[in-house]
Amino acid sequence: MDTEMASRLKKRRMEGNVEREWLYAIMKICTYLDESHITLTPVKIECCNALSATSFPKAFCDTKPYEARLLFGDVFQNGISVLRDFEESKKVPEDRQTLFIFNKLMDFLSGGRSLNILDPLKLRSISDSEMTVLVANHLLGKLTASSCYLIDSNCSGKRGDHCFCGKDVCKLTGNYGDTSIGNPEVWHGSLDIIIHNDVAVEALDEQPNTSETPGGKSPVEVKVKATRLKNTQIIAQTIVFSFLQKKRHPDREHFITPCIGIGRSELIVMLYDSEHDVLLESSTIPLFENEFSCEFSYCAILVSWLTVNYQYFCSGLVEKYKMYKSNFFDIAKEKITVYEEKLQFQNVNSCQFLELRFKNPPVNIKPDVSPFMHETQKALFDKYLRLNRSDDKGSDEKN
Ligand SMILES: [Zn+2]
């Protein structure tokens, strides 16, 4: 075989691999494949300090997961339909706005998903909030209609409009400013980043705190615990942001509002529906393809694309899940009018102290499958089998 033909075959096989890995990522949020599938867990608040004048870092919220799981894709049925149409018949969205956002995703996938950092070890030396800005600049911002976002002006390590990836030519497409939300009477404070005025992003604090680390714990155990500790702050922020968005955009079809938590190696999505009082927590999604690469994982790209564009892609709560109340309406009954009517965006007093609490890890439960998802699963499996068959043919040719 001549070299040109060999390289053509190699290119085709690589494209086939990309297509298959991308499809596999879609399957992970639409099917119950294996341990790596991505679900949402409805959680119930047992106890929290939402009634007192508390800044986010001091917020606590003990939650307990319900014995139920929802496939991640089932909250984003509008977005899944777009992806499914393309996978099945290469059909692109007809609506102009959706097509524009769909092309953002296609551009991102074809432009390479690597951070292009020469020394990945350098990433370990930047702070959690710097890492969050880096992910906003290199991933989240690139997947929305406009790449603008607002960064908390009180965050540490500001370097003008420079990105934290270390490349001088890399500029931030977002600005620093006032990201405070809430009401000083209740939960309030600053968000790390607000994407496109619509999606909250927070750093997950995964650094094990040595002063609080009891002996005999493995680093993994410590890390898992630290991640979950910080989630309680994200819950408070998600709830407040959801009420605020409902007040700002009362004409929307549903009021599920997401908050993305960014860790050093993973991300999570927290969603709160301030109309039906349902709080959903996603499983953790690996941020990079592997520990040593600076390539965003297909799952992280997919979940981020659906989440930052939730205004177009979120289909609201599946009927059955409206009964899994978070109990926030009851717990915060005395101050619920503050949450419903008196939340502000910007100029909210805030002070920063740390107080963290534990929560229960979710157990592995098989997610429910809606009729929509059942149809989608069939279509995706068909395509996946066809891809594998054509790949077999490719290797026959080579032999
Ligand atoms: Zn950069």
Side-chain angles (χ1 to χ4, degrees), residues 115 117 134 137-138 142 162-167 169-172:
L115 279 173
I117 292 176
L134 188 149
N137 204 45
H138 282 265
K142 292 195 167 152
H162 284 286
C163 179
F164 296 103
C165 65
K167 282 175 292 183
V169 286
C170 191
K171 299 274 186 264
L172 297 180

PDB file of all heavy atoms in Angstrom, residues 115 117 134 137-138 142 162-167 169-172, ligand 1:
ATOM      1  N   LEU A 115      -6.648  22.346  24.986  1.00  0.00           N
ATOM      2  CA  LEU A 115      -6.285  23.668  25.494  1.00  0.00           C
ATOM      3  C   LEU A 115      -4.999  24.156  24.855  1.00  0.00           C
ATOM      4  O   LEU A 115      -4.633  25.322  24.979  1.00  0.00           O
ATOM      5  CB  LEU A 115      -6.071  23.599  27.005  1.00  0.00           C
ATOM      6  CG  LEU A 115      -7.293  23.638  27.900  1.00  0.00           C
ATOM      7  CD1 LEU A 115      -6.892  23.377  29.334  1.00  0.00           C
ATOM      8  CD2 LEU A 115      -7.960  25.004  27.802  1.00  0.00           C
ATOM      9  N   ILE A 117      -1.883  23.541  25.653  1.00  0.00           N
ATOM     10  CA  ILE A 117      -0.901  24.007  26.640  1.00  0.00           C
ATOM     11  C   ILE A 117       0.314  23.096  26.543  1.00  0.00           C
ATOM     12  O   ILE A 117       0.180  21.872  26.505  1.00  0.00           O
ATOM     13  CB  ILE A 117      -1.503  23.957  28.048  1.00  0.00           C
ATOM     14  CG1 ILE A 117      -2.610  25.002  28.149  1.00  0.00           C
ATOM     15  CG2 ILE A 117      -0.443  24.213  29.108  1.00  0.00           C
ATOM     16  CD1 ILE A 117      -3.319  24.979  29.450  1.00  0.00           C
ATOM     17  N   LEU A 134     -10.594  29.944  33.253  1.00  0.00           N
ATOM     18  CA  LEU A 134      -9.982  29.299  32.089  1.00  0.00           C
ATOM     19  C   LEU A 134     -11.005  28.418  31.342  1.00  0.00           C
ATOM     20  O   LEU A 134     -11.099  28.461  30.114  1.00  0.00           O
ATOM     21  CB  LEU A 134      -8.793  28.461  32.567  1.00  0.00           C
ATOM     22  CG  LEU A 134      -7.885  27.830  31.508  1.00  0.00           C
ATOM     23  CD1 LEU A 134      -6.468  27.739  32.058  1.00  0.00           C
ATOM     24  CD2 LEU A 134      -8.333  26.445  31.115  1.00  0.00           C
ATOM     25  N   ASN A 137     -13.476  30.557  29.533  1.00  0.00           N
ATOM     26  CA  ASN A 137     -12.903  31.185  28.337  1.00  0.00           C
ATOM     27  C   ASN A 137     -12.692  30.187  27.199  1.00  0.00           C
ATOM     28  O   ASN A 137     -12.923  30.506  26.036  1.00  0.00           O
ATOM     29  CB  ASN A 137     -11.571  31.850  28.704  1.00  0.00           C
ATOM     30  CG  ASN A 137     -11.200  32.964  27.744  1.00  0.00           C
ATOM     31  OD1 ASN A 137     -12.047  33.788  27.402  1.00  0.00           O
ATOM     32  ND2 ASN A 137      -9.963  32.981  27.294  1.00  0.00           N
ATOM     33  N   HIS A 138     -12.259  28.971  27.554  1.00  0.00           N
ATOM     34  CA  HIS A 138     -11.899  27.997  26.522  1.00  0.00           C
ATOM     35  C   HIS A 138     -13.017  27.040  26.152  1.00  0.00           C
ATOM     36  O   HIS A 138     -12.936  26.371  25.132  1.00  0.00           O
ATOM     37  CB  HIS A 138     -10.678  27.181  26.964  1.00  0.00           C
ATOM     38  CG  HIS A 138      -9.397  27.930  26.801  1.00  0.00           C
ATOM     39  ND1 HIS A 138      -8.599  27.805  25.700  1.00  0.00           N
ATOM     40  CD2 HIS A 138      -8.799  28.842  27.601  1.00  0.00           C
ATOM     41  CE1 HIS A 138      -7.540  28.597  25.828  1.00  0.00           C
ATOM     42  NE2 HIS A 138      -7.642  29.249  26.968  1.00  0.00           N
ATOM     43  N   LYS A 142     -17.315  29.552  24.430  1.00  0.00           N
ATOM     44  CA  LYS A 142     -17.255  29.241  23.001  1.00  0.00           C
ATOM     45  C   LYS A 142     -18.479  28.488  22.507  1.00  0.00           C
ATOM     46  O   LYS A 142     -18.660  28.314  21.310  1.00  0.00           O
ATOM     47  CB  LYS A 142     -16.001  28.413  22.721  1.00  0.00           C
ATOM     48  CG  LYS A 142     -14.741  29.230  22.919  1.00  0.00           C
ATOM     49  CD  LYS A 142     -13.533  28.574  22.328  1.00  0.00           C
ATOM     50  CE  LYS A 142     -12.416  29.606  22.293  1.00  0.00           C
ATOM     51  NZ  LYS A 142     -11.101  29.030  22.376  1.00  0.00           N
ATOM     52  N   HIS A 162      -6.026  39.028  30.436  1.00  0.00           N
ATOM     53  CA  HIS A 162      -5.277  37.813  30.111  1.00  0.00           C
ATOM     54  C   HIS A 162      -5.964  36.574  30.664  1.00  0.00           C
ATOM     55  O   HIS A 162      -6.464  36.573  31.774  1.00  0.00           O
ATOM     56  CB  HIS A 162      -3.858  37.876  30.684  1.00  0.00           C
ATOM     57  CG  HIS A 162      -2.960  38.767  29.900  1.00  0.00           C
ATOM     58  ND1 HIS A 162      -2.460  38.403  28.668  1.00  0.00           N
ATOM     59  CD2 HIS A 162      -2.489  40.005  30.163  1.00  0.00           C
ATOM     60  CE1 HIS A 162      -1.718  39.391  28.211  1.00  0.00           C
ATOM     61  NE2 HIS A 162      -1.723  40.385  29.086  1.00  0.00           N
ATOM     62  N   CYS A 163      -5.917  35.515  29.871  1.00  0.00           N
ATOM     63  CA  CYS A 163      -6.444  34.221  30.299  1.00  0.00           C
ATOM     64  C   CYS A 163      -5.406  33.562  31.216  1.00  0.00           C
ATOM     65  O   CYS A 163      -4.254  33.988  31.272  1.00  0.00           O
ATOM     66  CB  CYS A 163      -6.701  33.378  29.063  1.00  0.00           C
ATOM     67  SG  CYS A 163      -7.314  31.735  29.406  1.00  0.00           S
ATOM     68  N   PHE A 164      -5.824  32.523  31.947  1.00  0.00           N
ATOM     69  CA  PHE A 164      -4.906  31.870  32.896  1.00  0.00           C
ATOM     70  C   PHE A 164      -4.208  30.653  32.305  1.00  0.00           C
ATOM     71  O   PHE A 164      -3.551  29.905  33.010  1.00  0.00           O
ATOM     72  CB  PHE A 164      -5.665  31.483  34.169  1.00  0.00           C
ATOM     73  CG  PHE A 164      -6.190  32.683  34.918  1.00  0.00           C
ATOM     74  CD1 PHE A 164      -7.540  33.030  34.846  1.00  0.00           C
ATOM     75  CD2 PHE A 164      -5.331  33.472  35.657  1.00  0.00           C
ATOM     76  CE1 PHE A 164      -8.010  34.142  35.510  1.00  0.00           C
ATOM     77  CE2 PHE A 164      -5.797  34.588  36.331  1.00  0.00           C
ATOM     78  CZ  PHE A 164      -7.135  34.932  36.260  1.00  0.00           C
ATOM     79  N   CYS A 165      -4.387  30.434  30.990  1.00  0.00           N
ATOM     80  CA  CYS A 165      -3.764  29.247  30.381  1.00  0.00           C
ATOM     81  C   CYS A 165      -2.265  29.471  30.170  1.00  0.00           C
ATOM     82  O   CYS A 165      -1.539  28.546  29.841  1.00  0.00           O
ATOM     83  CB  CYS A 165      -4.447  28.887  29.070  1.00  0.00           C
ATOM     84  SG  CYS A 165      -4.250  30.141  27.798  1.00  0.00           S
ATOM     85  N   GLY A 166      -1.824  30.719  30.344  1.00  0.00           N
ATOM     86  CA  GLY A 166      -0.389  30.974  30.270  1.00  0.00           C
ATOM     87  C   GLY A 166       0.083  31.488  28.921  1.00  0.00           C
ATOM     88  O   GLY A 166       1.224  31.905  28.784  1.00  0.00           O
ATOM     89  N   LYS A 167      -0.806  31.449  27.915  1.00  0.00           N
ATOM     90  CA  LYS A 167      -0.390  31.963  26.611  1.00  0.00           C
ATOM     91  C   LYS A 167      -0.692  33.464  26.531  1.00  0.00           C
ATOM     92  O   LYS A 167      -1.826  33.873  26.780  1.00  0.00           O
ATOM     93  CB  LYS A 167      -1.129  31.221  25.490  1.00  0.00           C
ATOM     94  CG  LYS A 167      -0.551  29.843  25.210  1.00  0.00           C
ATOM     95  CD  LYS A 167      -1.373  29.099  24.192  1.00  0.00           C
ATOM     96  CE  LYS A 167      -2.735  28.741  24.768  1.00  0.00           C
ATOM     97  NZ  LYS A 167      -3.578  27.962  23.882  1.00  0.00           N
ATOM     98  N   VAL A 169      -1.037  35.399  24.055  1.00  0.00           N
ATOM     99  CA  VAL A 169      -1.996  35.804  23.023  1.00  0.00           C
ATOM    100  C   VAL A 169      -3.437  35.493  23.415  1.00  0.00           C
ATOM    101  O   VAL A 169      -4.371  35.986  22.788  1.00  0.00           O
ATOM    102  CB  VAL A 169      -1.702  35.100  21.673  1.00  0.00           C
ATOM    103  CG1 VAL A 169      -0.480  35.694  21.015  1.00  0.00           C
ATOM    104  CG2 VAL A 169      -1.575  33.600  21.851  1.00  0.00           C
ATOM    105  N   CYS A 170      -3.625  34.679  24.458  1.00  0.00           N
ATOM    106  CA  CYS A 170      -4.990  34.267  24.822  1.00  0.00           C
ATOM    107  C   CYS A 170      -5.636  35.325  25.709  1.00  0.00           C
ATOM    108  O   CYS A 170      -5.226  35.561  26.844  1.00  0.00           O
ATOM    109  CB  CYS A 170      -4.960  32.920  25.528  1.00  0.00           C
ATOM    110  SG  CYS A 170      -6.595  32.212  25.718  1.00  0.00           S
ATOM    111  N   LYS A 171      -6.649  35.989  25.160  1.00  0.00           N
ATOM    112  CA  LYS A 171      -7.355  37.045  25.890  1.00  0.00           C
ATOM    113  C   LYS A 171      -8.709  36.523  26.380  1.00  0.00           C
ATOM    114  O   LYS A 171      -9.322  35.670  25.751  1.00  0.00           O
ATOM    115  CB  LYS A 171      -7.607  38.238  24.965  1.00  0.00           C
ATOM    116  CG  LYS A 171      -6.321  38.859  24.425  1.00  0.00           C
ATOM    117  CD  LYS A 171      -5.756  39.885  25.393  1.00  0.00           C
ATOM    118  CE  LYS A 171      -4.569  40.621  24.815  1.00  0.00           C
ATOM    119  NZ  LYS A 171      -3.275  40.054  25.217  1.00  0.00           N
ATOM    120  N   LEU A 172      -9.172  37.103  27.485  1.00  0.00           N
ATOM    121  CA  LEU A 172     -10.495  36.737  27.993  1.00  0.00           C
ATOM    122  C   LEU A 172     -11.569  37.376  27.125  1.00  0.00           C
ATOM    123  O   LEU A 172     -11.457  38.557  26.771  1.00  0.00           O
ATOM    124  CB  LEU A 172     -10.668  37.219  29.433  1.00  0.00           C
ATOM    125  CG  LEU A 172      -9.737  36.623  30.500  1.00  0.00           C
ATOM    126  CD1 LEU A 172     -10.056  37.232  31.863  1.00  0.00           C
ATOM    127  CD2 LEU A 172      -9.882  35.113  30.566  1.00  0.00           C
TER     128      LEU A 172
HETATM  129 ZN    ZN B   1      -6.430  30.803  27.498  1.00  0.00          ZN
END
